[in-house]
Every structure is written in C-alpha cells, then in structure tokens.
C-alpha cells in the first residue's frame, strides 16, 4: 500500500466521473476513460460510485481515490456524506476514500468531526482525504487526522464563493501546504498543464485534473464560447 501511495507523489491523478445527467454516464465508459488516462501518464484515478470503481479496477492497476456523490434533502454535503456511502466504497476498497470536509452539516445534522470519528473507528486502516473549500477547513481536517488534505471544493461552497484557486499564485494552496502536517492534494480548476506543474512546485503531494481531460462537453464549451461573437475573417 505504501508503495502505491508513494507512486502518486508529484504525479497526476485523473478524475474519471460522469453524473447521471451527463452524456458519458456509464461504468463501461469510465473504465475506458481511466485506461486512456493511464496511457497518457496518469498515476492515479479519482472515481465516483462503487460500480465505476469496480470497472476501472478491471481496466487499470492504479491507486484509486473513491467517492460517492449523493444528494440528501436536509444537507448541502454531497461527497461521501454518510456511512451508507462509506460502506459502498469499502466493498471495492479504494486506496483512499475522500469526503466533504467543509463546515456544512451532514444529513441528520451530523458534524464532520463526529462522522470522521465514526468512519475512522470502523475502518482504522483506511486512508482518508478531506475535500475542503477554505484554508480554515483544511487546517481543521488536518488537525482531525485526515491522511490527505484536498482543495477540491474551493470556490464551490457558500463560504468560498467567488474564490479562485489560482489567485495570487495559488495562495490558498501555499498556505495550506505551509501549515498542514499531512500531504496536500491540489484539486479544483487545475485545468491546464502549467497550473498542474505549478502546484507541484509549490509543494502539493499530487494534483487532480478532471473536467478538462474527461468531460468532453466542458472541453467543447471552452472552444465554442471563445468563438461566440468572435470575428471570422473572410477567406482571401
């Protein structure tokens, strides 16, 4: 296990996910997406749902960060929010399980502290990653004992609204790296090779890239948006 995790140091993890409303939603497709990512040099995969992880593991032998995204009516937390999702993931045993580690309450008003304590007690040998949106959340997760601290939710929560992870030369990542006792995995809008390289230079353990590699509808939109209203010169 230690050797597999160490293989992620300074390397790229590709997030292979497609939600039910998206065109590529299919465990079969995510398995092939992971295979393509491995051929391109990815050293790890982040994946959503037990079914997708099972298929991905049939296609590639790479460390997995596993999550289950599920909405609950009484909570804004949706990344591995309850023990139900933990149990589903433990059926396929990803090397790392990631969960929302923001300040929001989980379903039934469960705090992160109580939930993480229960998860660790039930599975003491499992590695855990905290998906955070602010420096304060990251340092709290670090103090709780998460094995990895992620910047996954920067800009996606009410408390981080309007924040861009790349602002001031990745100031958020630099501060978390300097103050955290645990390795930091940079994630969230790391959408160019230069950004990925920079966060590793700043001390991130590894970097996760997703939409700009594995979601063609998002990639296509960057091209189409650039052309909207643009001047197309006449052919000479």
């Amino acid at each position: 296990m230690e050797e597999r995790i160490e293989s992620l140091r300074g390397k790229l993890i590709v997030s292979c996910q497609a939600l039910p409303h998206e065109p590529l939603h299919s465990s079969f497709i995510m398995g092939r997406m992971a295979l393509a990512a491995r051929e391109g040099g990815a050293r790890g995969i982040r994946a959503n749902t037990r079914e997708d992880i099972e298929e991905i593991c049939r296609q590639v032998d790479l460390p997995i960060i596993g999550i289950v995204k599920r909405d609950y009516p009484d909570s804004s937390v949706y990344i591995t929010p309850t023990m139900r999702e933990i149990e589903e993931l433990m059926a396929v045993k990803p090397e790392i399980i990631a969960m929302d580690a923001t300040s929001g309450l989980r379903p039934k008003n469960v705090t992160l502290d109580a939930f993480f304590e229960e998860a660790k007690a039930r599975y003491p040998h499992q590695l855990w990653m905290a998906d955070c949106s602010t420096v304060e959340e990251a340092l709290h997760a670090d103090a709780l004992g998460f094995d990895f601290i992620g910047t996954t939710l920067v800009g996606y929560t009410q408390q981080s609204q309007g924040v861009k992870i790349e602002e001031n030369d990745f100031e958020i990542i630099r501060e978390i790296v300097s103050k955290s006792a645990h390795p930091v995995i940079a994630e969230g809008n790391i959408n160019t090779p230069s950004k990925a390289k920079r966060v590793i230079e700043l001390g991130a353990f590894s970097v996760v890239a997703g939409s700009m590699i594995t979601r063609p509808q998002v990639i296509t939109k960057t091209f189409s948006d650039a052309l909207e209203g643009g001047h197309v010169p006449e052919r000479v």
Side-chain angles (χ1 to χ4, degrees), residues 17-231:
Q17 300 180 44
L19 298 176
H21 66 277
E22 296 179 327
L24 298 188
H25 179 64
S26 159
S27 295
F28 174 85
I29 293 174
M30 288 304 103
R32 272 48 182 186
M33 196 71 79
L35 184 59
R38 189 199 67 185
E39 290 185 3
R43 298 296 180 88
I45 302 293
R46 179 169 164 125
N48 174 38
T49 77
R50 174 183 60 79
E51 295 80 6
D52 281 10
I53 293 171
E54 280 182 332
E55 179 59 28
I56 287 168
C57 288
R58 280 192 282 266
Q59 300 301 321
V60 300
D61 182 22
L62 293 175
I64 304 288
I65 299 174
I67 63 171
V68 175
K69 291 181 176 177
R70 184 169 286 136
D71 292 317
Y72 286 84
D74 60 340
S75 175
S76 62
V77 172
Y78 65 97
I79 299 177
T80 320
T82 75
M83 286 305 301
R84 174 187 174 188
E85 289 75 38
I86 297 289
E87 298 295 346
E88 290 174 10
L89 289 167
M90 289 307 300
V92 288
K93 295 181 172 58
E95 280 79 4
I96 301 168
I97 290 178
M99 67 174 70
D100 182 308
T102 65
S103 57
L105 291 173
R106 315 183 90 82
K108 298 182 180 179
N109 291 323
V110 175
T111 64
L112 169 66
D113 297 41
F115 179 67
F116 184 57
E117 182 179 0
E118 179 182 1
K120 279 196 73 173
R122 192 172 299 186
Y123 298 108
H125 303 297
Q126 176 63 44
L127 296 177
W128 307 95
M129 175 176 169
D131 287 346
C132 305
S133 70
T134 67
V135 171
E136 292 74 20
E137 291 168 350
L139 297 181
H140 181 65
D142 183 56
L144 286 177
F146 277 86
D147 301 284
F148 298 93
I149 310 301
T151 56
T152 315
L153 294 172
V154 172
Y156 292 101
T157 61
Q158 184 176 358
Q159 59 270 28
S160 66
Q161 193 170 18
V163 177
K164 295 183 178 180
I165 199 169
E166 68 269 27
E167 285 182 342
N168 301 317
D169 189 24
F170 298 97
E171 181 178 11
I172 288 176
I173 290 177
R174 285 189 282 116
E175 185 171 356
I176 295 171
V177 166
S178 69
K179 296 179 178 179
S180 175
H182 295 92
V184 175
I185 296 179
E187 182 176 4
N189 286 310
I190 311 294
N191 53 13
T192 67
S194 60
K195 289 181 184 180
K197 181 180 179 183
R198 183 57 179 154
V199 296
I200 295 299
E201 291 172 346
L202 294 173
F205 176 78
S206 57
V207 57
V208 177
S211 295
M212 294 309 292
I213 296 176
T214 59
R215 297 175 79 190
Q217 72 273 25
V218 174
I219 302 166
T220 301
K221 195 171 188 303
T222 64
F223 284 85
S224 61
D225 284 353
L227 298 178
E228 286 298 324
H231 173 67

